[in-house]
């Protein structure tokens, strides 16, 4: 875990909250001692593996969970085959839960993890039991599955509130058009403010199509203009780290940008600039929006703006297609 910390290999925000892994490991150590006095079929090790992995990374979770499992095994002197099956179910659960996204869909993962645990329990404590088969042999394994499921749900609830959705309240405030910063920005320049609103609209739509964090991109769309006019906001205001990274990357847009999210923001900004400019100069004449969009993307391609960006040609095609599908929205701007 120390090596992962030094080389920035910890998942999520675990590097900034380094001690919570050790707190979870300490609780797991107490649990490992308690498990030594419980029937082998009732050890809730699968949630322990998942908890340690979520608050560190996959390898640290596997190693930490296995150390605790070894302690329980040595203290209780159970069959090593049973311990191995807990090891298998723990690793399987980690692979299911270690990469959680903002959508946080865990229902199917939870059922698969509990099914794996039930199969391992059946193999280790029922089929290999040195006694005549009885239905009572399933009582402890089933109880362990129910207990593990409840603990996993509690872990998911804790993890979602502390990690996945920890900025939910912040985004609700930042993406509110009556936010203090946006209100002042609207008073300073209503034109730039409206441009930011339109940019945020496209950032949100495109983010959903590219499976990016739409809250981050919507926030970046709202604040990219005001942060250009007031760069001190990036240092003085409590923007989430992901938004700050996109805005910092955007501010060096004359060079090569690095992030896919910044590419979406830049495309939205440039397309809206071009369309709004032509609308202002059109005097009611018809504008061929497809040609405008093609010209913007041709300019980006010729300038090699995305040469070092991790965005694909398919992603750029999706972005361009999204803009071309919004003719009614552009007509609304007249």
């Amino acid at each position: 875990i120390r090596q992962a910390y030094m080389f920035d290999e910890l998942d999520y925000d675990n590097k900034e909250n380094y001690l919570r892994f050790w707190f979870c490991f300490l609780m797991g150590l107490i649990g490992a001692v308690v498990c030594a006095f419980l029937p082998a079929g009732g050890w809730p090790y699968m949630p322990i593996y998942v908890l340690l992995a979520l608050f560190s990374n996959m390898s640290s979770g596997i190693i930490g969970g296995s150390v605790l499992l070894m302690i329980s095994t040595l203290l209780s002197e159970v069959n090593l085959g049973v311990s191995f099956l807990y090891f298998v179910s723990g690793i399987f659960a980690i692979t299911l839960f270690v990469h959680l996204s903002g959508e946080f869909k865990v229902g199917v993962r939870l059922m698969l993890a509990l099914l794996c645990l039930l199969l391992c329990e059946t193999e280790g404590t029922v089929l290999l039991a040195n006694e005549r088969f009885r239905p009572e042999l399933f009582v402890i394994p089933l109880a362990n599955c129910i207990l593990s499921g409840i603990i996993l749900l509690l872990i998911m609830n804790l993890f979602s509130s502390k990690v996945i959705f920890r900025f939910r309240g912040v985004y609700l405030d930042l993406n509110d058009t009556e936010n203090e910063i946006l209100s002042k920005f609207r008073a300073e320049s209503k034109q730039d403010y409206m441009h930011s609103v339109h940019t945020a609209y496209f950032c949100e739509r495109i983010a959903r199509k590219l499976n990016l964090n739409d809250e981050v991109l919507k926030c970046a769309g709202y604040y990219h203009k005001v942060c250009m006019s007031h760069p001190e906001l990036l240092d003085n205001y409590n923007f989430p780290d992901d938004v700050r990274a996109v805005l910092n990357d955007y501010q060096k847009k004359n060079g090569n940008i690095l992030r896919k999210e910044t590419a979406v923001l830049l495309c939205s900004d440039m397309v809206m600039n071009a369309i709004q400019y032509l609308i202002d100069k059109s005097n009611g004449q018809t504008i061929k929006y497809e040609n405008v969009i093609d010209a913007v993307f041709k300019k980006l391609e010729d300038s090699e703006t995305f040469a070092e960006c991790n965005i694909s040609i398919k992603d750029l095609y999706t972005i361009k297609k999204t803009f071309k599908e919004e003719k009614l929205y552009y007509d609304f701007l007249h």
Side-chain angles (χ1 to χ4, degrees), residues 18 39 76 90 97 128 157 173 189 230 266 271 282 301 318 326:
Y18 183 54
S76 63
F97 287 102
L128 297 181
N157 183 60
D173 178 52
S189 174
H230 303 282
L266 181 58
V271 168
S282 66
E301 181 182 348
T318 301
E326 292 289 336

Side-chain angles (χ1 to χ4, degrees), residues 32-81:
V33 176
V34 173
C35 284
F37 300 96
L38 297 176
W43 292 358
Y45 259 99
M46 187 178 69
I48 293 176
Y49 271 93
V50 173
L51 181 64
L52 294 178
L54 288 176
F55 288 126
S56 57
N57 58 18
M58 179 180 285
S59 59
S60 298
I62 292 173
I63 294 170
S66 300
V67 168
L68 297 176
L69 180 60
M70 179 185 67
I71 292 172
S72 296
T73 303
L74 294 175
L75 290 177
S76 63
E77 299 181 356
V78 300
N79 189 307
L80 289 177

Side-chain angles (χ1 to χ4, degrees), residues 90-315:
I91 291 180
F92 182 76
I94 284 177
T95 61
L96 290 174
F97 287 102
V98 76
H99 296 299
L100 294 174
S101 66
E103 296 181 354
F104 206 71
K105 297 178 180 179
V106 298
V108 174
R109 306 181 195 211
L110 181 63
M111 288 190 294
L112 289 174
L114 293 178
L115 177 61
C116 176
L117 177 61
L118 181 61
L119 291 174
C120 289
E121 288 269 24
T122 302
E123 172 69 20
T125 62
V126 177
L127 297 182
L128 297 181
N130 294 321
E131 53 181 296
R132 186 170 58 85
F133 176 80
R134 293 176 291 111
E136 291 81 1
L137 293 173
F138 285 95
V139 173
I140 293 179
L142 286 174
N144 189 12
C145 289
I146 295 173
L147 177 62
S148 295
I150 294 172
I151 295 175
L152 274 176
L153 286 175
L154 293 174
I155 290 173
M156 292 300 108
N157 183 60
L158 172 68
F159 189 74
S160 65
S161 62
K162 297 296 182 182
V163 179
I164 299 295
F165 300 123
R166 68 190 185 280
F167 291 122
R168 172 169 285 178
V170 176
Y171 282 120
L172 285 175
D173 178 52
L174 287 173
N175 291 339
D176 183 358
T177 53
E178 297 304 318
N179 175 278
E180 180 183 1
I181 296 178
L182 292 179
S183 297
K184 290 181 178 179
F185 184 49
R186 181 170 59 239
E188 288 179 8
S189 174
K190 187 173 181 179
Q191 183 177 358
D192 286 343
Y193 167 79
M194 291 306 301
H195 172 82
S196 297
V197 171
H198 300 317
T199 303
Y201 167 79
F202 281 106
C203 284
E204 183 180 22
R205 280 186 54 82
I206 295 169
R208 291 175 180 173
K209 291 191 176 185
L210 298 184
N211 294 318
L212 301 174
N213 191 319
D214 59 309
E215 287 185 324
V216 170
L217 267 168
K218 183 179 180 181
C219 187
Y222 274 132
Y223 291 90
H224 73 290
K225 278 280 190 183
V226 65
C227 285
M228 288 293 286
S229 353
H230 303 282
E232 70 279 1
L233 281 175
L234 278 176
D235 298 322
N236 300 334
Y237 202 77
N238 187 29
F239 287 106
D241 291 341
D242 290 340
V243 176
R244 192 183 302 277
V246 174
L247 292 175
N248 279 325
D249 199 25
Y250 170 82
Q251 289 192 355
K252 62 174 186 178
K253 64 181 181 178
N254 291 330
N256 289 333
I257 62 176
L258 302 177
R259 302 174 64 92
K260 185 185 294 188
E261 293 85 354
T262 315
V264 173
L265 173 60
L266 181 58
C267 291
S268 302
D269 179 40
M270 292 184 65
V271 168
M272 286 310 306
N273 268 331
I275 289 178
Q276 190 64 62
Y277 175 80
L278 290 176
I279 288 175
D280 293 341
K281 300 294 183 182
S282 66
N283 294 323
Q285 296 179 356
T286 302
I287 299 174
K288 294 184 178 180
Y289 300 116
E290 294 89 346
N291 294 345
V292 178
I293 295 165
D294 287 336
V296 169
F297 278 82
K298 182 67 166 59
K299 180 179 180 180
L300 289 169
E301 181 182 348
D302 292 343
S303 63
E304 298 185 351
T305 304
F306 302 139
E308 299 178 18
C309 184
N310 61 348
I311 194 167
S312 67
I313 295 176
K314 181 180 179 181
D315 291 336

